[in-house]
């Protein structure tokens, strides 16, 4: 089937009461690992590319990799999403390329580092909503800022989302999905000890869901940083410092309160790095990249499959009759931006 919109995936997920993993890609092996995991678990999936990924892979290569994914896995509903768009221009270029969903991250200024004020965020996000919905494309906004810096994105400061502002933000912008800041951060170093509810502010999700029950919520920085992957990397010469990620059980708790999109990048990076380090150590005479990229791809597939089962999206690939971008555009025109369908 053709790429579907993220809005359709999230509406279906809301109906079914599950979450959908949004996995980042930069190259062939990551796309293959995610699609194969989706096939083996029968899952709908969101594949996302940051600006850094678009630069690394080159837009045309990335787009055609995704086109190949829809050809080779025709039974899997997949949305292609721009992760952390820093400006309306970035989002527009993604839409022109064929992305079916974009994130306008107006929580930061265009440099993707300086925290922006609320009015700026509303203005740029609304601009993207107008432009994207006219073409049927989904929009994710962000309110509050995450910690950490990854792919050159992030202020390094955490500003938790305020539930009152979230209501005003959604009403004024018309976003399809809202990324909330609850104390997570991008990358491997999220928490210095197992996170409790003091540092991982799950109550914010509950509060926002109470006030905005039909808004799809997004958890960024949701890698769990599994101990066994960190240990594997370090056993074969890596130097990952002691660290904790977001426990899967907390994500599952969020799913009960309206979290529909869960962003995972770091866990795939860790899985690939561990497998490659082990392959290098086990046979230093090997020099064929397939020798180490094959186990890397398998390791990424393994972690994605586990998350698909845990988030509840497994088994739901067959529920979709894809809605075209044209039909989505008509729905937004007729029902308004918020398009309450759940
Ligand atoms: P992780 O670094 O926790 O995988 O988060 C990825 C992310 O939120 C991408 O936007």
């Amino acid at each position: 089937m053709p790429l579907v919109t993220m809005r359709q995936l999230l509406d279906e997920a809301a109906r079914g009461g599950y979450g959908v993993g949004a996995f980042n890609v930069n190259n062939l092996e990551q796309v293959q690992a995610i699609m194969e995991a989706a096939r083996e678990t029968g899952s709908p999936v969101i594949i996302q590319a940051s600006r850094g990924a678009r630069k690394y892979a080159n837009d045309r290569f990335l787009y055609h990799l995704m086109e190949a994914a829809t050809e080779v896995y025709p039974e899997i509903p997949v949305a292609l999403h721009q992760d952390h768009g820093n400006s309306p221009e970035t989002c527009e270029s993604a839409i022109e390329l064929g992305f079916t969903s974009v994130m306008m991250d107006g929580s930061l200024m265009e440099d993707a580092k300086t925290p922006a004020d609320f009015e700026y965020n509303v203005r740029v996000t609304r601009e993207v909503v107008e432009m994207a919905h006219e073409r049927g494309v989904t929009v994710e906004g962000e309110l509050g800022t995450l910690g950490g810096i990854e792919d050159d994105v992030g202020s390094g400061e955490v500003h938790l989302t305020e539930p009152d502002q979230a209501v005003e933000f959604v009403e004024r912008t018309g976003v399809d999905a809202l990324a909330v800041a609850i104390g997570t951060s991008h990358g491997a170093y999220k928490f210095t000890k197992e996170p409790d509810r003091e540092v991982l502010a799950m109550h914010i999700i509950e509060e926002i869901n109470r006030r905005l029950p039909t808004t799809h919520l997004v958890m960024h920085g949701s890698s769990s940083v599994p101990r066994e992957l960190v240990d594997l990397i370090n056993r074969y010469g890596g130097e990952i410092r002691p660290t904790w990620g977001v426990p899967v059980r907390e994500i599952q708790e969020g799913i009960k309160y309206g979290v529909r999109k869960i962003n995972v990048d770091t866990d795939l990076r860790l899985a690939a790095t561990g497998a490659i380090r082990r392959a290098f150590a086990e046979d230093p005479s090997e020099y064929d990249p397939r020798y180490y990229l094959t186990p890397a791809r398998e390791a990424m597939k393994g972690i994605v499959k586990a998350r698909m089962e845990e988030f509840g999206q497994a088994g739901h690939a067959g529920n979709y009759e894809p809605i075209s971008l044209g039909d989505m555009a008509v729905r937004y025109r007729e029902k308004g931006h918020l398009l309450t369908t759940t």
Side-chain angles (χ1 to χ4, degrees):
M1 71 177 81
L3 290 171
V4 299
T5 67
M6 190 167 88
R7 178 64 198 240
Q8 188 184 6
L9 295 195
L10 301 186
D11 283 348
E12 288 292 342
R15 270 190 276 277
Y18 57 92
V20 183
F23 303 99
N24 288 72
V25 297
N26 300 276
N27 67 8
L28 169 72
E29 283 74 16
Q30 288 173 315
V31 173
Q32 290 177 328
I34 296 162
M35 292 308 295
E36 202 53 37
R39 170 168 284 169
E40 289 183 19
T41 58
S43 300
V45 67
I46 299 159
I47 290 192
Q48 57 187 10
S50 64
R51 277 189 306 141
R54 286 176 60 186
K55 194 163 156 213
Y56 172 81
N58 174 301
D59 272 356
R60 302 306 305 162
F61 277 102
L62 201 59
Y63 181 70
H64 285 286
L65 278 176
M66 291 308 301
E67 206 162 55
T70 60
E71 259 174 56
V72 177
Y73 300 88
E75 79 283 17
I76 301 299
V78 47
L80 177 57
H81 176 77
Q82 166 79 56
D83 193 21
H84 291 287
N86 64 323
S87 65
E89 291 71 34
T90 298
C91 294
E92 189 161 24
S93 72
I95 293 169
E96 275 161 13
L97 190 60
F99 282 53
T100 53
S101 179
V102 292
M103 174 184 194
M104 176 62 235
D105 183 358
S107 71
L108 299 172
M109 300 299 287
E110 200 170 334
D111 65 5
K113 289 182 175 46
T114 313
D117 65 40
F118 183 71
E119 287 303 322
Y120 169 88
N121 195 353
V122 168
R123 182 167 56 75
V124 290
T125 307
R126 175 76 193 188
E127 192 184 324
V128 172
V129 166
E130 299 282 355
M131 178 256 297
H133 283 181
E134 207 175 276
R135 306 176 206 188
V137 170
T138 311
V139 180
E140 172 185 338
E142 175 162 331
L143 191 60
T145 57
L146 270 64
I149 300 172
E150 202 178 30
D151 267 10
D152 258 357
V153 174
S155 66
E157 294 168 33
V158 181
H159 295 282
L160 299 181
T161 307
E162 288 176 26
D164 280 343
Q165 268 199 340
V167 175
E168 186 183 343
F169 184 79
V170 169
E171 283 170 357
R172 286 177 63 190
T173 59
V175 286
D176 300 278
L178 178 69
V180 292
I182 56 165
T184 67
S185 51
H186 291 134
Y189 300 106
K190 300 184 194 303
F191 304 110
T192 50
K193 60 183 176 60
E194 181 156 15
D196 54 24
R197 293 287 173 98
E198 287 275 301
V199 288
L200 191 58
M202 297 303 291
H203 65 276
I204 291 180
I205 288 182
E206 291 182 32
E207 189 54 38
I208 294 175
N209 180 242
R210 205 173 53 73
R211 299 188 200 189
L212 292 168
T214 58
T215 298
H216 303 308
L217 302 181
V218 182
M219 270 176 79
H220 279 246
S222 294
S223 279
S224 299
V225 191
R227 175 61 40 84
E228 61 275 15
L229 294 183
V230 171
D231 287 349
L232 181 68
I233 292 172
N234 288 345
R235 190 174 331 132
Y236 291 104
E239 291 183 7
I240 308 278
R241 302 191 303 275
T243 177
W244 274 262
V246 181
V248 169
R249 64 172 186 282
E250 297 291 0
I251 298 171
Q252 289 169 330
E253 203 48 34
I255 292 170
K256 289 189 201 150
Y257 294 98
V259 169
R260 298 290 159 233
K261 173 174 183 269
I262 302 116
N263 284 16
V264 176
D265 182 1
T266 297
D267 282 353
L268 279 76
R269 297 179 182 209
L270 293 170
T273 299
I276 290 171
R277 280 192 173 277
R278 176 159 59 192
F280 281 163
E282 283 177 351
D283 190 351
S285 70
E286 266 292 351
Y287 55 87
D288 180 345
R290 290 171 299 185
Y291 165 73
Y292 52 86
L293 290 177
T294 304
R297 187 172 58 191
E298 275 301 302
M300 290 190 285
K301 183 180 86 177
I303 195 96
V304 174
K305 276 177 71 172
R307 295 297 175 263
M308 287 171 161
E309 302 281 358
E310 289 154 349
F311 299 161
Q313 72 210 80
H316 289 284
N319 300 3
Y320 299 80
E321 203 42 66
I323 304 173
S324 71
L325 287 174
D327 284 349
M328 283 304 291
V330 171
R331 289 182 190 209
Y332 287 121
R333 225 175 8 254
E334 290 176 352
K335 295 189 176 177
H337 291 303
L338 287 175
L339 188 74
T340 309
T341 56
T342 50

